[in-house]
Amino acid sequence: MYCSVSQQNCCAMVPPTPPNPNPIPIPNPNSDVEIGFDSDIEALIANFFEEHPNPQLPDTTHKRPSDANDDAVSLKRGRITIATDAAIQNPIPPLSDQTQRNRPLFEIDFLSNALRHAQSDESQSQSESESDDEAFIPWYDYMRNRTMERFRRAAKESATRYARFSDGPGQSSLAVAPPEIGDSAGPFSVALKAIRERAAKKGWDAWVFKRGGEKKRTSVPSLQELCLGILADNADAMVSLEGVPDELRHKLCKLLCDSRKMNSRFLELLLSGSPTEIRLKDCSWLTEEQFAQSFQMCDTSRLEVLQLDQCGRCIPDYALLGTLKESPRWLSRLTSLSLSGACRLSDKGLQVLVSSAPQLRSINLSQCSLLTSASLDILANSLGSLLKELYLDDCLIIDAAQIVPALKKLEHLEVLSLAGIQTVSDEFIKEYIVASGHNMKELVLKDCEKLTDASIKVIAEHCPGLCALDLICLDKLTDLSIGYLANSCRTLRTLKLCRNPFSDEAIAAFLEITGGSLKELSLNNIKKVDHQTTLSLARHAKNLHTLDLSWCRNLTDNELGFIVDNCLSLRLLKLFGCSLVTDVFLHGHSNPEIQILGLKMSPLLQNLKVSDPLQGPLRYSSVSVDN
């Protein structure tokens, strides 16, 4: 029990208790019953009831009177002992020592003892000289304060694991302290302050709907497209591809793969003669026997580009060994090789393949799930001074920390794609990019979830010639990353920022600085994209060719129309999931050349990225192969 009133008020509220006419007498120390041990309790009780056959028990609503040595009212540590007026006038005489030792057990103050025991921990922490008149803290308040303090202590310890500026357990040692974005000096800070001032004014530029505006150009297929469609429908009747240029061969192969009409007979037509390029984006239909039979009879002395994607069924190690055993330099002039999805290719098969292509400059090994970190040693030892493009997307067995020495041996590497490799970390980026970033033209880090702003800072500072950067699904990035790119990467042509928590103001400030150089921009599923990004796109992204605004659900007809009417170079706009788009925008914009994907009834295959038929073997360099 606890009392929050003063001593005088407490006594005043308790009415005086009349003396008990038949109080329970204190046992006579001279009686025949000897008290002093627990075994004598039964004898004590029997003796009491023999002397008092009808005892009247005391009123239990009040505590027993205190001893003569106690104060009339004692308020200390929550124990309340109240003495009535009658007890004060007629105090019980002091008991002898023997009597005090032999008191009946039912007169013990159990509540006070329990409270004193519960408060023993608190008593030890306080000074023994504490005065009785100090302010008393109730027990439940004390326990609540101690619990809150424990939670605060645990929160401070846990915060080190989540804050980016701390080196707590499991945290990267490269984590960057998150300063205020607009405080540092630089072009990005200046642009960001201007964007914020513009946003504060709220003077939106309204898009003007052009009712009956420019007549949209009707999409009429060219004569070449009509002819290729007819050839694809009648591919089984074709007897030769001699004299057909590589560009038309690529388009015809794409049509056949999309319609699932590619077969071994057409492959023989492609391999007939002495081809220079073979591009098949889907080889899932090809068997081991068909692969061996077709390529053993093929003259590959002039072959420079070989694309056999989704070839997991037809290229195991033993099929390569059987095909290449009679011609050790089977691919002597090959410069670009793509075996994406070769899930049966191991390090041993890669060793055989690389030894047969000594002039290889570009290799795509994406989704080759059997390759290990040893495959990078194979490439580095065989192609260290030649390889310029390397794609290792979703090679899950490869440990990024183990391949750094091998990557450093690739002296002229320009394109590195590590999408989906979860071991890519800030430490890996720092160790490799600081040493070899000066040659980097394209870097793909999609789904490398461990990366933070520290990695983007290293990339921006050590990759001055970077042209393409893929940062899709990196949810640990903040607006700091946008600032690093804006201040340092002025040569970016392609930037993908899908599914990242960037703000509308930061993206707008980035476009104010580098928007004029961008050709392709993806803001897919960046939920904060809004009016400020729209204004910066319309004013500064004049050379933009491809724009992806899918799932940016804040954009309405007004924003989209403003972008399309001002970005006159825009040819492809993706609007998947933009539920606020209406016919007002579709029939009111003035860009007749633009193609809009993602609307109802639009063909989905047009959204798939395919290789450009006019593109050479390498994306950023020309190739001269020695005879």
Side-chain angles (χ1 to χ4, degrees):
M1 297 177 61
Y2 302 93
C3 182
S4 60
V5 299
S6 62
Q7 178 176 348
Q8 293 79 3
N9 294 335
C10 181
C11 295
M13 290 189 295
V14 179
T17 303
N20 192 348
N22 295 313
I24 299 177
I26 299 175
N28 186 0
N30 299 323
S31 62
D32 297 334
V33 181
E34 183 178 359
I35 303 174
F37 302 94
D38 294 341
S39 61
D40 298 329
I41 295 177
E42 295 182 0
L44 171 65
I45 296 176
N47 181 47
F48 169 75
F49 282 103
E50 287 177 0
E51 297 179 0
H52 305 278
N54 296 312
Q56 183 176 355
L57 297 177
D59 185 7
T60 57
T61 58
H62 302 286
K63 286 187 173 289
R64 63 179 177 83
S66 61
D67 295 338
N69 295 331
D70 294 337
D71 297 332
V73 177
S74 176
L75 295 176
K76 184 177 181 181
R77 296 191 178 281
R79 179 180 177 183
I80 304 177
T81 304
I82 303 176
T84 60
D85 295 337
I88 296 175
Q89 295 176 3
N90 300 309
I92 298 177
L95 301 178
S96 62
D97 294 340
Q98 180 66 23
T99 304
Q100 290 181 2
R101 287 196 303 268
N102 298 335
R103 279 186 175 181
L105 295 179
F106 47 76
E107 288 194 18
I108 297 176
D109 190 350
F110 293 102
L111 179 60
S112 298
N113 288 341
L115 289 175
R116 284 197 298 271
H117 179 71
Q119 296 172 352
S120 59
D121 295 339
E122 179 189 7
S123 301
Q124 294 177 1
S125 62
Q126 295 184 357
S127 173
E128 295 295 332
S129 60
E130 182 181 5
S131 60
D132 293 341
D133 57 350
E134 286 187 34
F136 170 72
I137 301 177
W139 177 252
Y140 63 89
D141 286 342
Y142 168 75
M143 291 301 297
R144 183 181 61 183
N145 294 340
R146 192 171 68 174
T147 301
M148 293 302 296
E149 183 63 27
R150 186 168 65 251
F151 276 119
R152 291 190 190 97
R153 205 162 45 242
K156 290 180 181 179
E157 295 174 357
S158 301
T160 60
R161 296 195 296 269
Y162 297 100
R164 303 182 186 279
F165 51 89
S166 172
D167 291 338
Q171 190 74 3
S172 170
S173 61
L174 297 175
V176 179
E180 185 66 25
I181 301 296
D183 291 344
S184 60
F188 179 76
S189 298
V190 176
L192 186 60
K193 291 179 181 179
I195 294 296
R196 289 173 175 172
E197 293 176 358
R198 185 175 70 189
K201 295 179 181 179
K202 296 183 179 180
W204 308 137
D205 294 340
W207 171 60
V208 179
F209 170 73
K210 299 175 176 57
R211 187 180 303 275
E214 293 186 23
K215 185 178 180 180
K216 304 299 181 298
R217 178 178 298 178
T218 306
S219 178
V220 177
S222 63
L223 180 60
Q224 183 184 96
E225 293 174 348
L226 293 174
C227 293
L228 288 175
I230 295 175
L231 290 176
D233 293 337
N234 300 275
D236 293 339
M238 299 178 64
V239 296
S240 176
L241 292 176
E242 185 178 356
V244 179
D246 290 336
E247 177 185 352
L248 296 182
R249 289 192 181 198
H250 302 336
K251 292 182 177 181
L252 189 57
C253 288
K254 178 182 179 299
L255 291 175
L256 291 174
C257 289
D258 290 342
S259 60
R260 305 292 294 176
K261 293 181 180 180
M262 180 65 70
N263 53 35
S264 58
R265 184 180 181 279
F266 192 82
L267 179 59
E268 292 178 0
L269 296 179
L270 290 175
L271 296 176
S272 62
S274 183
T276 58
E277 295 186 10
I278 298 175
R279 297 180 186 264
L280 298 177
K281 70 173 187 177
D282 185 4
C283 295
S284 58
W285 54 270
L286 190 62
T287 64
E288 300 172 16
E289 295 77 11
Q290 291 171 343
F291 169 78
Q293 183 180 1
S294 300
F295 281 89
Q296 282 178 355
M297 301 175 60
C298 176
D299 180 10
T300 59
S301 59
R302 298 178 61 244
L303 190 64
E304 297 182 5
V305 178
L306 177 60
Q307 179 184 357
L308 299 175
D309 291 342
Q310 310 304 321
C311 58
R313 180 184 178 188
C314 64
I315 306 185
D317 292 346
Y318 57 84
L320 285 175
L321 292 173
T323 304
L324 302 177
K325 62 181 181 181
E326 297 181 358
S327 55
R329 294 180 65 85
W330 178 58
L331 302 170
S332 58
R333 295 179 62 87
L334 190 68
T335 58
S336 179
L337 174 64
S338 179
L339 299 177
S340 176
C343 56
R344 302 175 68 184
L345 179 68
S346 67
D347 296 338
K348 184 178 180 180
L350 181 63
Q351 175 70 58
V352 175
L353 193 58
V354 170
S355 63
S356 300
Q359 301 294 331
L360 203 60
R361 262 69 165 186
S362 174
I363 185 167
N364 186 354
L365 300 174
S366 300
Q367 302 174 10
C368 295
S369 54
L370 295 182
L371 295 182
T372 66
S373 301
S375 61
L376 271 296
D377 295 326
I378 296 172
L379 296 176
N381 295 332
S382 302
L383 307 170
S385 60
L386 296 176
L387 198 64
K388 293 189 174 183
E389 299 179 2
L390 177 60
Y391 302 86
L392 298 173
D393 301 351
D394 298 313
C395 293
L396 303 181
I397 302 180
I398 294 179
D399 188 349
Q402 297 179 5
I403 65 175
V404 174
L407 287 176
K408 290 181 179 180
K409 294 181 181 179
L410 302 175
E411 303 173 358
H412 303 288
L413 195 65
E414 297 177 345
V415 178
L416 178 61
S417 182
L418 301 172
I421 299 181
Q422 299 301 316
T423 54
V424 175
S425 62
D426 291 342
E427 288 76 12
F428 167 82
I429 294 295
K430 179 181 180 181
E431 187 174 357
Y432 173 67
I433 295 297
V434 170
S436 305
H438 56 279
N439 291 325
M440 199 60 58
K441 301 292 185 181
E442 180 173 346
L443 193 57
V444 179
L445 300 173
K446 175 183 176 181
D447 291 323
C448 297
E449 299 177 352
K450 293 183 180 180
L451 297 184
T452 66
D453 294 327
S455 294
I456 309 305
K457 181 178 181 181
V458 172
I459 293 171
E461 292 176 350
H462 295 86
C463 300
L466 194 65
C467 298
L469 182 61
D470 189 338
L471 302 177
I472 294 178
C473 294
L474 303 184
D475 56 359
K476 292 184 179 180
L477 301 186
T478 67
D479 289 347
L480 283 174
S481 296
I482 299 295
Y484 297 143
L485 296 176
N487 290 333
S488 302
C489 296
R490 303 296 181 86
T491 60
L492 277 177
R493 301 292 182 269
T494 300
L495 181 61
K496 298 181 179 180
L497 302 176
C498 309
R499 293 181 177 271
N500 293 322
F502 301 133
S503 67
D504 183 40
E505 292 80 4
I507 297 175
F510 173 82
L511 293 172
E512 295 278 335
I513 300 172
T514 62
S517 63
L518 288 176
K519 300 290 185 180
E520 180 179 353
L521 176 63
S522 178
L523 302 176
N524 188 316
N525 213 336
I526 298 184
K527 298 180 180 180
K528 296 180 181 180
V529 167
D530 208 334
H531 197 79
Q532 298 305 321
T533 298
T534 298
L535 293 178
S536 296
L537 279 170
R539 296 176 181 178
H540 300 279
K542 300 297 184 179
N543 297 318
L544 197 63
H545 183 276
T546 302
L547 177 62
D548 187 357
L549 296 175
S550 300
W551 305 101
C552 296
R553 296 197 168 187
N554 292 330
L555 301 181
T556 63
D557 293 334
N558 183 76
E559 284 79 18
L560 295 174
F562 201 68
I563 293 172
V564 172
D565 285 354
N566 287 276
C567 299
L568 300 180
S569 299
L570 195 60
R571 294 295 177 266
L572 180 60
L573 177 63
K574 301 177 184 179
L575 297 177
F576 292 92
C578 293
S579 55
L580 299 181
V581 178
T582 67
D583 291 340
V584 175
F585 161 69
L586 297 178
H587 300 300
H589 69 80
S590 59
N591 189 343
E593 303 292 336
I594 194 171
Q595 181 183 10
I596 301 176
L597 299 181
L599 303 178
K600 295 180 180 179
M601 305 303 295
S602 62
L604 295 179
L605 287 178
Q606 296 180 7
N607 188 43
L608 300 178
K609 184 176 182 179
V610 296
S611 58
D612 186 358
L614 300 178
Q615 179 181 323
L618 300 181
R619 294 176 60 85
Y620 299 97
S621 302
S622 59
V623 179
S624 58
V625 181
D626 298 334
N627 295 326

